[in-house]
Amino acid sequence: MAKIIAIANQKGGVGKTTTAINLSASLAILNKKVLLIDIDPQANSSSGIGVTEYDKTVYNFIIGDSGFDESIQKNTINNLDILPSDINLVGAEVEILQLDDREKLLSKKLKEFTGNYDFIFIDCPPTLGILTLNALTAADSVLIPVQCEYFALEGLGQLLNTIHLVKKNYNKALTIEGVLLTMYDSRLKLSELVSDEVKKYFDTKVYETKIVRNVRLSEAPSYGKPAITYDPTSAGAKAYFALAEEFLLKNSL
């Protein structure tokens, strides 16, 4: 039975999609069977692993227009499947709001397929709307990327409040998987200050692995590849591979 992890933070530019792509790919390379669900209308997780042409998306799967096998897409990485998104999901969000049990659509659809994977990651949009709500209702846990910059903790209270409300109303078992520090620069005192503040608040939930600022991490999506296949020797690729190993250790695998 797969563990389902939503990767969420309503602040944009925190490394959420970069984490979704690179953690999924690293775990797949470590022989774990992984499904990446792109529920962000920007579809950056889809293009970031080279999936750009498809007829069916996560929206078709959620509302029942297509089956699971029709909707998932393969890519160049063994053990990694993706349920892609596209810009039409923006309009679909309005349509989903009109449906019964709208918060539980993804959860209900995923139930019969969790046995196919070890881990399912959901890349959420940078909002706390109905798509993110669906992801949190379907998930076992939430992984929160936090960038090591001045406004790092801004808005985290709102995210934690949303998690609390989802636990109370839709998904009592939802937990925080971990908090990941991104865009870390050891040369900057600010990075250390943010790291210290996040650890004060989240304590042992903060991963020891920090994701450093790295040009290769920024370049890789334009080639439709995760960093670990674009440049496995880069600091960014090594950091995400270390994160995958820490993630497995915390999950006792």
Side-chain angles (χ1 to χ4, degrees):
M1 188 73 70
K3 184 172 189 178
I4 304 174
I5 302 104
I7 301 178
N9 190 328
Q10 80 274 20
K11 251 180 90 64
V14 300
K16 178 181 56 60
T17 295
T18 300
T19 297
I21 293 169
N22 288 286
L23 179 55
S24 295
S26 296
L27 287 168
I29 287 170
L30 286 167
N31 292 317
K32 299 301 176 184
K33 186 71 175 167
V34 181
L35 171 65
L36 174 57
I37 299 176
D38 188 353
I39 205 169
D40 185 345
Q42 296 176 89
N44 290 332
S45 273
S46 305
S47 61
I49 60 170
V51 175
T52 55
E53 295 183 11
Y54 40 86
D55 297 321
K56 305 295 184 183
T57 71
V58 64
Y59 169 68
N60 302 107
F61 173 67
I62 288 174
I63 66 166
D65 278 356
S66 66
F68 183 72
D69 290 338
E70 295 173 79
S71 303
I72 62 167
Q73 300 292 320
K74 302 291 183 182
N75 60 93
T76 57
I77 301 171
N78 290 334
N79 297 321
L80 177 59
D81 294 338
I82 184 163
L83 195 49
S85 175
D86 68 11
I87 193 62
N88 293 322
L89 200 56
V90 172
E93 189 165 7
V94 177
E95 186 177 338
I96 288 170
L97 285 169
Q98 315 304 316
L99 301 177
D100 293 334
D101 273 345
R102 55 186 178 268
E103 302 87 359
K104 301 178 181 178
L105 294 172
L106 181 60
S107 177
K108 288 178 177 178
K109 295 295 290 185
L110 275 181
K111 276 181 181 175
E112 59 186 293
F113 304 106
T114 55
N116 298 355
Y117 299 95
D118 296 305
F119 298 104
I120 297 174
F121 290 96
I122 309 173
D123 182 19
C124 300
T127 65
L128 296 177
I130 191 63
L131 295 174
T132 298
L133 192 53
N134 260 269
L136 295 176
T137 303
D140 297 302
S141 60
V142 191
L143 194 161
I144 306 171
V146 177
Q147 83 278 35
C148 293
E149 294 180 357
Y150 185 71
F151 294 112
L153 303 180
E154 188 180 73
L156 266 185
Q158 190 180 355
L159 174 61
L160 294 174
N161 186 52
T162 299
I163 292 170
H164 173 73
L165 291 173
V166 170
K167 284 187 70 166
K168 182 178 177 181
N169 297 299
Y170 307 114
N171 183 2
K172 289 180 171 57
L174 185 65
T175 62
I176 293 177
E177 178 72 28
V179 178
L180 176 66
L181 293 165
T182 64
M183 304 176 196
Y184 182 83
D185 189 337
S186 60
R187 298 168 300 178
L188 300 178
K189 187 174 181 180
L190 180 59
S191 286
E192 282 301 321
L193 290 173
V194 171
S195 176
D196 290 344
E197 283 299 308
V198 171
K199 285 178 179 176
K200 277 183 195 174
Y201 194 88
F202 291 101
D203 196 22
T204 58
K205 290 292 184 182
V206 182
Y207 290 106
E208 290 297 325
T209 304
K210 300 177 179 74
I211 306 303
V212 296
R213 287 189 175 277
N214 182 244
V215 173
R216 295 301 198 202
L217 279 178
S218 303
E219 289 176 351
S222 64
Y223 291 88
K225 295 180 178 180
I228 199 153
T229 57
Y230 175 65
D231 184 355
T233 64
S234 66
K238 288 178 179 178
Y240 273 109
F241 196 77
L243 174 65
E245 293 180 317
E246 184 179 355
F247 175 87
L248 290 177
L249 191 63
K250 283 179 176 287
N251 280 277
S252 302
L253 292 172

